[in-house]
Amino acid sequence: MNEQEFIVEMRGITKRFPGITANDGVSIQIRKGEIYAILGENGAGKSTLMSMLFGMIEPDEGEIFIRGKRERIDSPRRATQLSIGMVHQHFRLVSNYTVAENIILGMEPEKKCGPFPMVDIAGANAKVAALSERYGLQVDPTDVIEDLNVATRQRVEILKMLYREAEILIFDEPTAVLTPQEIAAFLDIVRGLRDQGKTVILITHKLEEIKQVADRCAILNRGKLISVMDVASSTTSDMARMMVGHEVSFSTPKAPPHFGSPVLRLENLTVKNAAGFNSVNSVSFEVRAGEVLGIAGVSGNGQNELADAIAGLQRCHGGKIILNGRDISNLSIRERVEAGVAYIPEDRHNVGLVLDFTLRDNLMLKQYYRARFAHRHVMDEIAFDEYGKELIGRYDIRSNQGDATITRSMSGGNQQKAVIARELDLKTPLVVFMQPTRGLDAGAVSNIHRQIIAERDRGAAVLLISLDLDEILDCSDTIAIIFQGHINKIAPAASLTVEEIGLYMMGVKGGEAA
Amino acid sequence: MTELLNMMIIDGLSFALPLFIMAIGGIYSEKSGITNLALEGFQGVGAFTGAFAAVFLAQSMTGALPYYVSFLCAIIGGGVFALLHALLCIRFRANQVISGVVMNILAMAMTTFLTKRINAAVFGHAGNKFLLGTSARFTVPVLSDIPVLGAVFTDVYPFEVIILVVAVVMSYVLYRTPFGLRLRACGDNPHSVDAAGVDVNRVRSVAVVISGCLSGIAGMSFAYSISANFSADIYLGYGYLSIAALIFGNWTILPAFGACLLFGLARSGGTVLIQQLGLPSSYNDLVRILPYVLTLVLLIFFSRSNRSPRALGEPYEKGKR
């Protein structure tokens, strides 16, 4: 065919960072008007590859052709000129500007005020409204960004690209921050963009989404291109196997549980939110040693408050939290750690880790004061080092500078591994997991699920709170369903069907359990 | 009584306006994301450059020309000196607070030294000041006859007009032009500006230089009104006062103007009060602390509601997530 067949062609792209080869001789060809997915685990080099297409970094080796012409893309500005646009994982929006101001930034429509130029805000609003109409992306041009939810901000980012007349649209993990309903809406938008003739590149590790929208899919593993597959004729398990490099089982193998005596007992626990509303309303249940209790529910039904109250991040307003017969409701966080509570929080960036600390120091956060690591209030750097290296090895935490790596620079999956390593190594009788696999790829997910089961088998009581129903079903021995701050139903996992759980989650059924 | 009120307004305005133009400079710098404690030093260097030019020209010229040239030179002097702050903070990513403080110390030491050397070498006499004399004033006919408000148009220093014109232009640039839109975006999320293909560091450098230029006008104004000369006495903390004003103004120009007026009137009102009570003139020093006491009181009320630009004080790094 002619050279116009491929709108983007990357040949033999190699990019090295200190200590790591992020891309190793990767070649891909993308057709005009297709949805092309780039699939790989965290740290496989997907984002690096696309950063080079968008001009944020330049390849060490290899060539990039746009519309059949060789181009050197040395800046996002050059990429924009070539009508390439990118929506980053972390949005680049000015929080105190309106939607329209954000979209026109850098390419402002102007009008004259006497002899002086000025930004034509009214014109900008009209243009943005027209664009949003044309592509079915609902936004109000005069809304201020900080008042908008994540899905709307994402639409603003898409409009930014369209305003610059981008033809090639790159999305970096676009659905990581969206709710299931928002994901469905987003996938519709992507189809719409393709139907209007745009070429869409999706960086993702979610197989389901690829299956739903993508035409073709390139699979990367540790910086190398493994395969390019035609999505319609491949199964998700084929793609998963290629991505991880080995067979992935979607269910975690586990032996029958051996329940011991109750470790955690909640008695009529009540937690109020900032507005004084009972987010957790008189909740009572038990978790036994050797048991995984999964709490299922739709987001915002009191899960966060429940987990934070047990960990001590939030005050209890009524009822008791009893750990091995001792009331811990009024203990400080450290006292709870010492009493035996490990907590993997949902928000690893703000709660789980200090991002600007080294990996080693993050691993030490819950133990630095103990006699092994501190002598007369002076920290023992050597003991820190030994312990950090030990955990890194044992939990397979990958980073480019070992335990001295600044945590911020690590991939999401490895950051989560660090949190889990720190918490599980406390070997506490109770472990609370809050959304432990959020935003992680299939390989990392199954790894964490195995660790959850291993904790159970060690004899710990495990409380698993997750919005991901598959995760709950996969790991739990007992399932509790939370709805509007109440435990709506609690029963052995085997006795519940998915449909039933769904009905309890929506509050259609329930009320019979205490 | 009217006499006293007039005096309070006239003196209050002539102090508030230089503060205001300096605060606008600070707003430019901080809205672009560069912390600027160096206004004090910028106005000092501006006043030094302008005063030197005025004294030098006065040797061969009479009339109003040296006056206006001195302001032009103050703008240039303040701007060039501000380049150093921009260089340290932007190119070398120095801590912006430290750089600002260093600028102030450097300005004072440098200009004091140079004043003595220049007096000896150029003008052939010893001395640690450039003598300027106070600026001429004018009164607008008709308008000045309005009761109370007429004081605004009475005994006006020419620099007050210059400041108002510049302030209007600078407000227009900041809030209405593409450059202003980009500048304000740099202080909130520089990544978004970079992604839009605009050079963040260039915008910030320009903003810091503008803050130097505007501070230069302020310094020259103080030299022509309060002290009637240039000497180390110019470093009395007015730069810090204008920073307080821009913070109370929530980094926006019009409310900052209100804060400057308040400071100005507090100061002139205090002076009038001392005279009225017949207290010895040494009490004037007590009055000079009034704006600062006011600052402390206002801080209590404004600290909670005011929000500094989100990216203030952070050097821009492309890669940081």
Side-chain angles (χ1 to χ4, degrees), chain A residues 77 93 95 97 108 117 119, chain B residues 176 181-182 184 188-189 197:
Chain A
R77 176 169 215 134
L93 297 171
S95 59
Y97 276 16
E108 301 85 358
V119 179
Chain B
R176 292 278 180 269
L181 188 77
R182 294 166 185 186
R184 287 178 290 129
D188 186 87
N189 187 352

Side-chain angles (χ1 to χ4, degrees), chain B residues 224-282:
Chain B
Y224 266 124
S225 58
I226 294 173
S227 52
N229 62 49
F230 172 82
S231 70
D233 290 344
I234 200 89
Y235 301 99
L236 269 178
Y238 300 147
Y240 297 107
L241 201 56
S242 70
I243 292 172
L246 76 90
I247 291 174
F248 298 146
N250 206 5
W251 288 267
T252 38
I253 289 180
L254 207 57
F257 183 50
C260 291
L261 278 182
L262 199 63
F263 288 150
L265 293 176
R267 190 182 136 103
S268 60
T271 313
V272 168
L273 193 70
I274 296 286
Q275 283 179 359
Q276 211 46 25
L277 295 175
L279 291 168
S281 65
S282 59

Side-chain angles (χ1 to χ4, degrees), chain A residues 469-508:
Chain A
L469 192 51
D470 291 335
E471 178 162 280
I472 298 279
L473 291 167
D474 195 24
C475 300
S476 310
D477 302 309
T478 311
I479 293 178
I481 297 126
I482 193 165
F483 176 71
Q484 294 185 348
H486 289 283
I487 296 295
N488 214 355
K489 174 76 180 174
I490 184 161
S495 70
L496 291 166
T497 65
V498 179
E499 290 71 26
E500 261 183 297
I501 295 174
L503 292 175
Y504 286 112
M505 280 168 65
M506 306 305 290
V508 177

Side-chain angles (χ1 to χ4, degrees), chain A residues 77 91-97 101 105-106 108 110 113 116-119 146 164 408-410, chain B residues 31 172 176-178 180-182 184-185 188-189 191-193 195-198 307 310 320-321:
Chain A
R77 176 169 215 134
F91 297 155
R92 310 211 157 163
L93 297 171
V94 182
S95 59
N96 55 359
Y97 276 16
E101 284 172 332
L105 187 66
E108 301 85 358
E110 290 187 19
C113 167
F116 308 110
M118 70 188 282
V119 179
E146 57 198 350
R164 287 166 171 72
R408 187 184 292 279
S409 70
M410 293 166 53
Chain B
K31 269 290 184 185
Y172 178 86
R176 292 278 180 269
T177 64
L181 188 77
R182 294 166 185 186
R184 287 178 290 129
D188 186 87
N189 187 352
H191 294 279
S192 66
V193 181
V198 178
R307 265 195 333 179
R310 273 203 317 151
K320 197 168 174 180
R321 292 188 212 183

Side-chain angles (χ1 to χ4, degrees), chain B residues 19-56:
Chain B
L19 271 190
F20 174 48
I21 199 68
M22 188 150 44
I24 294 180
I27 290 172
Y28 262 78
S29 173
E30 302 221 328
K31 269 290 184 185
S32 82
I34 303 291
T35 305
N36 200 338
L37 295 181
L39 295 176
E40 176 81 355
F42 293 173
Q43 59 96 25
V45 173
F48 162 79
T49 324
F52 170 61
V55 173
F56 188 77

Side-chain angles (χ1 to χ4, degrees), chain A residues 267-272 278 280-283 315-319:
Chain A
E267 290 180 1
N268 301 315
L269 180 69
T270 298
V271 183
K272 290 184 198 297
N278 284 355
V280 176
N281 200 348
S282 193
V283 163
R315 209 163 71 86
C316 310
H317 296 88

Side-chain angles (χ1 to χ4, degrees), chain A residues 28 109 156-157 169 239 250 277 281 287 304 322 380 382 389 401 416 432 455 463 469 475 492 506 510:
Chain A
I28 56 170
V156 176
E157 284 278 13
L169 312 178
M239 290 191 274
F250 280 107
F277 172 80
N281 200 348
V287 191
N304 296 54
I322 294 163
D380 180 348
I382 296 170
K389 292 206 167 81
Q401 288 158 33
Q416 185 70 342
V432 180
E455 284 301 294
L463 183 63
L469 192 51
C475 300
M506 306 305 290

